[in-house]
Structure formats: structure tokens, C-alpha cells
Amino acid sequence: MPTTRAYAAPSAKAPLAPFSLERREPRAQDVLIDILYCGVCHSDIHQVRDEWGGSLFPMVPGHEIVGRVARVGSAVTRFKVGDAVGVGCFVDSCRTCGPCRKGEEQYCAEGMVGTYNSRERDGAPTFGGYSTHITVEEGYVLRIPESLPLDRAAPLLCAGITTYSPLRHYGVKAGDKVAVVGLGGLGHMGVKLAKTMGAEVTVLSTSPSKQKDALALGAAHFAATSDKNTFTSLRGHFDYILDTVSAPHDYNAYLNLLKVDGTMILVGAPDAPTPLAAFPLIMGRRKLGGSLIGGIRETQEMLDFCAQHGVASDIEVIPIQKINEAYERMLKGDVRYRFVIDIASLRGP
Ligand code: NAP
Ligand code: ZN
Ligand code: ZN
């Protein structure tokens, strides 16, 4: 096996720096992947900075992985050398619990094995996609449709499925009024996917400078959350609100924007809780729910849906050497709309 070059955070809040590791030899059902691109998710920042607690170091982040199959184990049936493939947020699960049997491995009763900052079932630490190779069991590998550009497909593996899954699960349909809160990596995919499903999308954003982009991405309307009129003029307006915001904010103000029986879905995962009042839920029989990424079957469905409708992420490709700068820019909301690492920058001369 070639040594895998990577970038790792040596400890919480330390900058990422070059690192090397050994991937396991492919077992019978494993696929060895040459990684080409890896998206940069805000969850990478939360975990590198140990904002959710329990982070494992050294940490090689990255769970929006796209590459090509370099080698297959003797029992692999679904992939061959050269195939374009993806790996998302998890690389294993128990396979026997109720959620696993339903194909919702992200809710595995024993806990999914995260692509990084996690442990394999044998206890070995997992390292993610800011690296040149990864070995993954074929059942946890996705097929990237050939019509999708590989760099723009990478963010679909997390930002894409994290927004697709709740839009489907909670039943968004043509004609529904959907608000997307926060126009970042997840938010811009939420806009594209909800629009493709036929919804009338409104972006609610702290950044008035994103208005033009929001409309170009497919939103019908844009409202700045700094404008207090937004919270009065849009009261009772939406069937659904998809909240992708990464920092604590007042959920109550947004709940009031739902119609009777409307649903607000949290996918953004701030590191601190926000007080929730009963009244915005009671007044209007509103619902508040959440959603975690998506299972393998649904992730493949999402990739095929994106290929069919010509949907991919809007990205800024960076070399790995710019990763620490990219994190700082994401924290300022300065990303249009997903950083994607060109892993060629790790391979070197
Ligand atoms: P991102 O690209 O940084 O986008 C987050 C957006 O939220 C920003 O662009 C900004 O949009 C808005 N925002 C940031 N700070 C804010 C604040 N204080 N108040 C209001 N709005 C603020 O992040 P991302 O990669 O899309 O991830 C978003 C969140 O989803 C993160 O917490 C991440 O960990 C979580 N996540 C969850 C799942 C899941 O399975 N549920 C999966 C992946 C990621 P505007 O400029 O438009 O306001
Ligand atoms: Zn993610
Ligand atoms: Zn399970």
C-alpha cells in the first residue's frame, strides 16, 4: 500500500498541517479509492475545534469524498477499477439493527462509524478525505453518475444528502413555500434541491450581499434577517423552514413564520442550545424536527436525482495548503458556496 498523505489537526483548535498515515490493505469486500476531491463542511470545523465534545486527535477531517477506484478486493461485485465513486459521512454501521435494515444507517442503534473522528468496529481510528487514499467496504461506497463533474459532486456527499433527505422525509412537494435559513454549503444545496422539487423557495440570510446569488441559485425570494420587517411581513407564510445555520440563533422567531401545521427542520448543528418557547409551536400547531445526513440508499437516490436534473454544488476549488484560511472564511460566511480541496495538491510532484 502506498503511504497516504494527508492534512491533520494535531489537537483542538490547532491549525491543520501535513500528516501521513497507512490505509488498510483492501479486504475481500473493500474498495481502495484514489481521492480526487474533498468538500469542506462546517462540521469539519466544529469537530477540529472540538465544539461538539469528544473529538479524537490527530484528526484528518473530510466526509465529502470523490475519487476513482484504484483496487478492489476479491469479493467486490459493485465496482471496478476506474469507477467514479464517493464516500460520505460514514464508512460502516452494525448492519443488523432496525435503522440499518431500513437503509437508514445514519441512525444505527450502535452508532454509525464516522468517516473521521470515529472508530472502526475493531477500535481503529478513522481518518477522512483530506488525504490521498481511503479504503472502504463497498456497501458504504456511492456511485457518482458520469454526467456529474467530480469536483462539483463532492459536496453532494454531505451538503446534498443532508438537505435532500429532510425535504423528502418531511414531504416537501411542488408548490410548497419553503424557507432556507443560512446560505452556505448546506443552504445553497437546499435551495437548488427544493426548487428542483417544485417548491417556491425563500432564502432568509444574515448577508444581504447574497441576494443576487440566492435568486440565481433558484430562490424566488430573498429576505435579510437583519431587517425586522422580515419577521412581521413573513409571519405565517411558510409550509417548511429548513434551518442550516451553524451558530446559535433564535428558533422562536423563525417558528412564527410557519403556517398552521407548518414544519421547521433543523439540520444546522450549533454547539450551544437555544431556549425554545412553547407558544410559537402551540399557536399554529407547528412542528419542529431534525434530520441527520441520509442513508446509503437515499444518498445514491440523491446523486442520481442530481444527475437527472443537472444539479451540482457551486464551489471554490482550493489546494489543501489553503485549508486553514478556508476555515476562517467559512466562519465569516465568506464561501460561495462550498470549498472543495483539489487532492492533487497533496500528491505533490
Ligand atoms: P456554512 O457553509 O458555514 O454555512 C452556514 C451559514 O449559516 C452561513 O453561510 C451563514 O449564512 C449562516 N450563519 C452563520 N452564522 C450565523 C449566525 N450567527 N446567525 C445566523 N446565520 C448564520 O456551513 P455548512 O457546511 O452549510 O453547515 C451548516 C451547519 O450544518 C453546521 O452546523 C454543520 O455542522 C451542520 N451540518 C449538519 C448536518 C446534519 O446531518 N444535520 C450535516 C452537515 C452539516 P448567511 O450568510 O446566509 O446568513
Ligand atoms: Zn458534513
Ligand atoms: Zn445498525
Side-chain angles (χ1 to χ4, degrees):
M1 283 286 282
T3 292
T4 293
R5 295 193 196 185
Y7 256 53
S11 62
K13 302 189 171 83
L16 274 72
F19 182 74
S20 62
L21 61 113
E22 300 299 322
R23 295 295 189 184
R24 69 171 184 260
E25 275 295 326
R27 300 171 192 145
Q29 290 192 308
D30 280 345
V31 170
L32 173 67
I33 300 165
D34 278 343
I35 300 176
L36 297 173
Y37 297 102
C38 185
V40 180
C41 179
H42 205 112
S43 303
D44 300 349
I45 304 180
H46 288 308
Q47 292 177 88
V48 160
R49 301 190 175 197
D50 200 11
E51 291 172 352
W52 294 337
S55 285
L56 303 172
F57 295 98
M59 185 190 301
V60 176
H63 58 206
E64 293 184 337
I65 300 170
V66 163
R68 289 204 182 267
V69 174
R71 230 200 290 168
V72 294
S74 57
V76 167
T77 56
R78 297 177 46 238
F79 299 101
K80 59 180 191 319
V81 171
D83 284 354
V85 292
V87 178
C89 299
F90 57 91
V91 290
D92 203 356
S93 64
C94 87
R95 304 159 196 228
T96 56
C97 72
C100 281
R101 282 206 304 270
K102 270 177 73 183
E104 296 186 331
E105 301 90 347
Q106 74 275 32
Y107 302 119
C108 175
E110 289 186 15
M112 61 180 177
V113 175
T115 303
Y116 70 89
N117 190 25
S118 181
R119 291 193 184 279
E120 298 278 5
R121 288 190 292 159
D122 67 7
T126 58
F127 295 113
Y130 298 7
S131 64
T132 50
H133 309 88
I134 190 167
T135 309
V136 182
E137 217 255 62
E138 69 167 334
Y140 294 81
V141 175
L142 288 309
R143 182 172 299 286
I144 306 295
E146 287 294 341
S147 66
L148 288 176
L150 295 184
D151 50 358
R152 297 183 60 208
L156 301 178
L157 277 307
C158 178
I161 186 59
T162 299
T163 48
Y164 181 90
S165 184
L167 293 172
R168 285 290 193 227
H169 176 79
Y170 288 96
V172 170
K173 58 186 188 314
D176 284 344
K177 289 189 165 67
V178 174
V180 173
V181 188
L183 195 64
L186 266 56
H188 95 290
M189 287 312 307
V191 171
K192 289 186 185 221
L193 291 166
K195 156 87 178 170
T196 306
M197 292 174 191
E200 181 187 313
V201 181
T202 301
V203 169
L204 302 177
S205 169
T206 61
S207 309
S209 62
K210 295 180 182 173
Q211 173 158 12
K212 193 161 156 259
D213 289 349
L215 303 182
L217 289 163
H221 314 281
F222 178 93
T225 51
S226 53
D227 179 352
K228 290 294 166 246
N229 282 335
T230 293
F231 291 95
T232 45
S233 63
L234 292 176
R235 212 180 161 88
H237 186 77
F238 297 108
D239 297 289
Y240 295 94
I241 297 175
L242 182 65
D243 183 330
T244 75
V245 174
S246 51
H249 55 292
D250 181 14
Y251 296 140
N252 304 292
Y254 293 94
L255 283 167
N256 282 321
L257 306 186
L258 289 170
K259 291 180 183 171
V260 173
D261 287 327
T263 304
M264 174 156 157
I265 308 154
L266 305 182
V267 289
D271 58 352
T274 306
L276 185 66
F279 275 93
L281 291 169
I282 293 173
M283 307 300 286
R285 199 166 54 192
R286 299 173 175 120
K287 298 182 281 287
L288 180 63
S291 189
L292 175 66
I293 49 176
I296 294 293
R297 183 174 35 71
E298 194 175 41
T299 304
Q300 190 63 60
E301 175 188 305
M302 176 276 308
L303 288 165
D304 296 343
F305 177 89
C306 287
Q308 188 190 342
H309 296 281
V311 173
S313 281
D314 287 18
I315 60 169
E316 179 176 337
V317 177
I318 55 163
I320 189 83
Q321 293 77 10
K322 295 257 191 215
I323 188 65
N324 294 304
E325 199 181 301
Y327 281 6
E328 291 308 318
R329 284 182 53 196
M330 277 176 80
L331 289 167
K332 288 188 272 181
D334 175 21
V335 49
R336 302 274 189 288
Y337 278 89
R338 194 57 135 188
F339 290 114
V340 171
I341 304 163
D342 181 353
I343 297 297
S345 61
L346 256 178
R347 292 208 159 78

